[in-house]
Amino acid sequence: NNNNNNDDNNNNKKKKKKKANKKPKPVLCHTINGSGLAVGRTLVAILENYQQPDGSVVVPEVLRPYMGGKDVILPASTSS
């Protein structure tokens, strides 16, 4: 019975040692420099989905803080 108890203690020590040797997994930040998304495709998707009949584009509410609070992008005026 005492021998069985020693085996359990040795197994527990080995498990603890394995856990102590594990390095924590890095937490990746995918959006630094646009590395986590296709920036061009994302921009095109926003333009396609938020463009108005007059050519203006409504800036999605969640992006407005990054656009200086601008809520609409107006098309460039064309002169003949």
Side-chain angles (χ1 to χ4, degrees), residues 51-64:
Q51 188 172 23
Q52 304 301 301
D54 66 354
S56 64
V57 177
V58 175
V59 177
E61 209 168 310
V62 296
L63 297 179
R64 290 179 188 169

Side-chain angles (χ1 to χ4, degrees), residues 1-50:
N1 196 11
N2 192 20
N3 189 25
N4 190 21
N5 192 18
N6 284 337
D7 287 341
D8 287 343
N9 284 337
N10 286 337
N11 286 337
N12 287 337
K13 286 179 185 178
K14 287 179 186 177
K15 285 180 185 178
K16 285 181 182 179
K17 189 174 182 180
K18 277 186 180 179
K19 284 183 182 180
N21 288 338
K22 282 189 178 178
K23 293 181 182 177
K25 292 183 180 180
V27 178
L28 302 176
C29 185
H30 293 291
T31 57
I32 292 177
N33 299 326
S35 60
L37 52 108
V39 177
R41 289 182 183 184
T42 305
L43 178 60
V44 169
I46 291 169
L47 294 174
E48 286 178 347
N49 287 291
Y50 290 91

